[in-house]
Amino acid sequence: MKAIEFDRYGPPHEVCHCIEVAEPGAPGPDEVIVAVEACSINPADLLLIEGRYPGPKQLPARLGIEGVGRVTATGSGVGHLDTGQRVLLLGRTNWTETICTAANNVIAIDQNIDPLQAAMMKVNPPTAMLMLSNYIDLAPGDWVIQNASNSAVGYHVIRLARARGIHTVSVVRRQSAVATVAALGADLVLVDDENLAEKVRSGIGDANLPLALDAIGGAACLHLAQSLSIGGTVVNYGFLSGEPCMITPTETIVRDITLRGFWLANHLGKATRQGIEAIFTEVTSLIRDGTIAAPVEATYGLDEVKTALAHAGRGERSGKILFTPGGPIA
Amino acid sequence: MKAIEFDRYGPPHEVCHCIEVAEPGAPGPDEVIVAVEACSINPADLLLIEGRYPGPKQLPARLGIEGVGRVTATGSGVGHLDTGQRVLLLGRTNWTETICTAANNVIAIDQNIDPLQAAMMKVNPPTAMLMLSNYIDLAPGDWVIQNASNSAVGYHVIRLARARGIHTVSVVRRQSAVATVAALGADLVLVDDENLAEKVRSGIGDANLPLALDAIGGAACLHLAQSLSIGGTVVNYGFLSGEPCMITPTETIVRDITLRGFWLANHLGKATRQGIEAIFTEVTSLIRDGTIAAPVEATYGLDEVKTALAHAGRGERSGKILFTPGGPIA
């Protein structure tokens, strides 16, 4: 069978290879075998391969933070999963045709979900959902501001907020992204600069804006902080600028602004099994009812790994790139 | 009688003058007259006079954020204060011999307290006390880290923490300050640099360090954040560097560090009268039992304003400068 591995840290399309490996044997008592239907290429995968994100110490190593598939065999001690069950793969080596993994490392999900959407549900939808729920008790009519809005998390935030009656100010870095983000339902779309707070207040008046979601750091983080209502919270979840988050003492001391951080891995690491299942049950129903949907630009076979990774690395895309190890999905 | 006013924003010893004004007349029904015994010169007074801190729009204006005195007359509606009662003055125009103010703008304090210490109790002691209490539930054996430790708040933090069995890492900017701060009872005194976190961990091992108090901002704030235990909180309360607080996404996202701000004015503004009285009752008892004591370098009459302000503006001092409008206090 085919799987993808990388043998050194570097440019993804150079250091990743599709290799032939043996199929997994019979599962151990607490294991399952899963045939992978789809697995996405995430920015975090690319950062890991480039050595800019915590990755395996020993190389070569397997890859793939997200994936979805169907159970093809279960160990003798696995009572709660049947052959044929569609499952979300929680491990980090999902770019493969078939995987043998601990049964508690998969989550049974709705049989009727689109497998491409399911292959993009582990990271971005819960990130958006939990950042909107865990810091501020938002009421309908409240506003949320985010930057890097032209991203999968950005899209989900807009759609999830809208479904709850919460308005969004979506900040982008280029004028060319404004129309795309506005079309998703953002209430106000602004291009970032040092006058952001002023532009926000021209747009929303003195409406309550208690939460900001920052994927960039540096001055972009400060601009969000300055836009918040007094007592508001900035949640930093990315570092696209490569610079430290900046918050002036005027914001912290006088305007009582708080800066926090969100990392899904930390959140899931502290959650119970029941808590994790509840999160993905909610995500599944949000996908099923159309509240969240991530656009797909292309799918590739595992043997097209170099083309796929080069494609994923290009900046201006209309959607995600995924592998479909079991063959194309309509 | 004498009072101090300033007629333009600028260097304090140039723009402040001691003037002769009429004594206040009889108090209104809800007012009291207070003879000021002592009033301190704070960094915030100097910043205000220099125009670097929010100040009065209309000049000339009176000055003096802190002061203590004795009631000399009470209005007909003031039942809870008698002539002779020593009071803390909560207003911001205390550099004067006598002041007429609303009765709810003063707090009755212990008759036997040292008036010089009382004239330094409104700002720094509650700042240190509330920052140690309001953010993290510290247990004996926990550690707290602070920078700009060679300051009045820094001293109070060391003494208050010690009284509660909490250890302090006190960071200073110059090697010359280490001995002074260590003599106050700091458990570990370090000079700030980019290896601060490493030096902290060499000193305290994996002890719990959940709270950092930052008076500087910029990279100094980041160094504190890096020194904290996972999940810790930095409370920013000053901006001595003039630079934004910096916190890397590694700290916010991976290590779950929170940045908040503390401003006494915000805190007192939200507190009830009862809450404010409780704060100053506690501060008074901490002064009475010797837990906190701010060193005094010199006292001056109001007519020595230029000498006093020039003295207060010098960097290397061993203690505070105060005015004693009613004459020297032994």
Side-chain angles (χ1 to χ4, degrees):
Chain A
M1 69 166 200
K2 293 182 176 61
I4 291 170
E5 69 170 31
F6 72 132
D7 51 16
R8 65 183 197 281
Y9 288 98
H13 64 283
E14 288 180 21
V15 302
C16 294
H17 312 280
C18 179
I19 56 170
E20 274 295 331
V21 294
E23 294 270 348
D30 297 320
E31 291 181 334
V32 292
I33 309 286
V34 177
V36 179
E37 297 173 278
C39 43
S40 61
I41 302 176
N42 271 300
D45 290 307
L46 302 180
L47 288 168
L48 183 152
I49 297 164
E50 291 165 3
R52 295 160 61 195
Y53 202 80
K57 297 263 183 297
Q58 283 216 315
L59 298 182
R62 300 285 183 86
L63 288 160
I65 291 168
E66 287 192 314
V68 66
R70 284 192 190 271
V71 175
T72 57
T74 58
S76 55
V78 180
H80 66 294
L81 289 170
D82 287 329
T83 300
Q85 171 70 51
R86 182 167 275 154
V87 291
L88 182 67
L89 294 156
L90 297 183
R92 299 174 71 86
T93 57
N94 298 315
W95 292 353
T96 179
E97 278 186 68
T98 304
I99 190 165
C100 175
T101 186
N104 68 10
N105 212 18
V106 308
I107 302 245
I109 55 169
D110 191 322
Q111 296 296 88
N112 300 310
I113 198 166
D114 171 0
L116 293 180
Q117 290 298 321
M120 299 182 287
M121 74 182 262
K122 177 179 148 194
V123 177
N124 293 325
T127 295
M129 196 173 85
L130 294 167
M131 289 195 301
L132 284 174
S133 305
N134 282 14
Y135 299 92
I136 300 285
D137 193 10
L138 295 166
D142 282 347
W143 288 74
V144 169
I145 187 168
Q146 61 171 341
N147 58 25
S149 307
N150 193 16
S151 70
V153 170
Y155 294 179
H156 297 324
V157 164
I158 293 168
R159 305 284 285 266
L160 288 169
R162 203 176 176 79
R164 289 175 53 187
I166 295 156
H167 306 299
T168 48
V169 184
S170 288
V171 183
V172 294
R173 284 171 288 181
R174 298 180 306 270
Q175 188 63 40
S176 62
V178 171
T180 314
V181 173
L184 283 162
D187 297 281
L188 181 62
V189 185
L190 296 170
V191 177
D192 192 20
D193 66 27
E194 65 214 12
N195 301 314
L196 183 66
E198 220 169 282
K199 294 189 287 185
V200 168
R201 289 298 161 186
S202 311
I204 74 169
D206 61 357
N208 187 33
L209 172 48
L211 179 65
L213 308 177
D214 169 43
I216 300 180
C221 177
L222 175 58
H223 300 161
L224 295 188
Q226 291 168 329
S227 303
L228 284 173
S229 298
I230 287 173
T233 294
V234 181
V235 178
N236 167 247
Y237 72 99
F239 46 103
L240 292 173
S241 70
E243 288 167 15
C245 295
M246 287 200 268
I247 308 262
T248 61
T250 303
E251 301 308 315
T252 53
I253 298 174
V254 180
R255 301 205 330 112
D256 194 20
I257 300 300
T258 296
L259 172 68
R260 302 195 56 181
F262 178 83
W263 190 25
L264 186 64
N266 266 351
H267 186 91
L268 296 182
K270 288 180 202 159
T272 60
R273 173 80 191 179
Q274 208 174 14
I276 294 172
E277 285 177 358
I279 289 167
F280 289 111
T281 300
E282 186 171 348
V283 172
T284 307
S285 78
L286 290 164
I287 291 173
R288 288 297 308 276
D289 73 12
T291 303
I292 58 178
V296 173
E297 180 156 302
T299 64
Y300 292 93
L302 291 175
D303 51 359
E304 300 172 289
V305 57
K306 286 174 188 295
T307 314
L309 289 172
H311 192 168
R314 288 205 290 273
E316 297 266 359
R317 279 183 285 106
S318 65
K320 284 264 184 193
I321 311 299
L322 297 92
F323 294 110
T324 50
I329 294 169
Chain B
M1 69 166 199
K2 295 183 175 63
I4 292 170
E5 69 170 29
F6 71 132
D7 50 16
R8 64 183 198 279
Y9 289 99
H13 65 283
E14 289 179 19
V15 302
C16 294
H17 311 280
C18 180
I19 56 170
E20 274 295 331
V21 294
E23 294 270 348
D30 297 320
E31 291 180 334
V32 291
I33 309 284
V34 178
V36 179
E37 298 174 278
C39 44
S40 61
I41 302 175
N42 272 299
D45 290 307
L46 302 179
L47 289 167
L48 183 153
I49 296 164
E50 291 164 4
R52 296 160 61 197
Y53 202 80
K57 298 265 182 295
Q58 283 216 313
L59 298 183
R62 300 284 182 88
L63 288 160
I65 291 168
E66 289 191 313
V68 65
R70 285 191 189 271
V71 174
T72 58
T74 58
S76 56
V78 179
H80 66 294
L81 290 170
D82 287 328
T83 300
Q85 171 70 50
R86 181 168 277 153
V87 290
L88 182 67
L89 295 156
L90 298 182
R92 298 174 72 86
T93 57
N94 298 316
W95 292 353
T96 179
E97 278 185 69
T98 303
I99 190 166
C100 175
T101 186
N104 68 9
N105 212 17
V106 309
I107 302 245
I109 55 170
D110 191 322
Q111 295 296 88
N112 299 312
I113 198 166
D114 170 0
L116 293 180
Q117 290 297 321
M120 299 183 286
M121 75 181 263
K122 178 181 148 193
V123 177
N124 294 324
T127 295
M129 197 174 84
L130 293 167
M131 290 196 300
L132 284 174
S133 306
N134 282 15
Y135 299 92
I136 300 284
D137 193 11
L138 296 165
D142 283 346
W143 287 74
V144 169
I145 187 168
Q146 62 171 342
N147 58 25
S149 306
N150 193 15
S151 69
V153 171
Y155 294 179
H156 297 323
V157 165
I158 292 168
R159 305 284 285 266
L160 287 170
R162 202 176 176 79
R164 289 175 52 187
I166 295 156
H167 306 299
T168 48
V169 184
S170 288
V171 182
V172 294
R173 285 171 288 180
R174 297 181 308 271
Q175 187 64 40
S176 63
V178 171
T180 312
V181 173
L184 283 163
D187 297 281
L188 180 62
V189 185
L190 296 170
V191 177
D192 192 20
D193 66 26
E194 66 213 10
N195 302 315
L196 182 66
E198 220 170 281
K199 294 189 286 187
V200 168
R201 288 301 161 184
S202 312
I204 74 169
D206 60 358
N208 188 34
L209 172 48
L211 179 65
L213 308 177
D214 169 43
I216 301 180
C221 177
L222 175 58
H223 300 160
L224 295 188
Q226 291 168 329
S227 303
L228 284 173
S229 299
I230 287 173
T233 293
V234 181
V235 178
N236 167 246
Y237 72 100
F239 45 103
L240 292 173
S241 70
E243 288 168 16
C245 296
M246 287 201 266
I247 308 263
T248 61
T250 303
E251 301 308 315
T252 53
I253 299 174
V254 179
R255 300 205 329 113
D256 194 21
I257 300 299
T258 296
L259 172 67
R260 302 195 57 182
F262 178 83
W263 190 25
L264 186 64
N266 266 349
H267 186 91
L268 297 182
K270 289 180 202 159
T272 60
R273 174 78 191 179
Q274 209 174 13
I276 293 172
E277 284 178 358
I279 289 167
F280 289 111
T281 300
E282 187 171 348
V283 172
T284 307
S285 79
L286 290 164
I287 291 174
R288 286 297 309 274
D289 72 13
T291 303
I292 57 177
V296 173
E297 180 156 303
T299 63
Y300 291 92
L302 291 175
D303 51 359
E304 300 172 289
V305 57
K306 287 175 189 291
T307 314
L309 290 172
H311 192 169
R314 289 204 290 273
E316 298 265 2
R317 277 184 285 105
S318 66
K320 286 263 186 195
I321 311 300
L322 297 93
F323 294 111
T324 50
I329 294 170

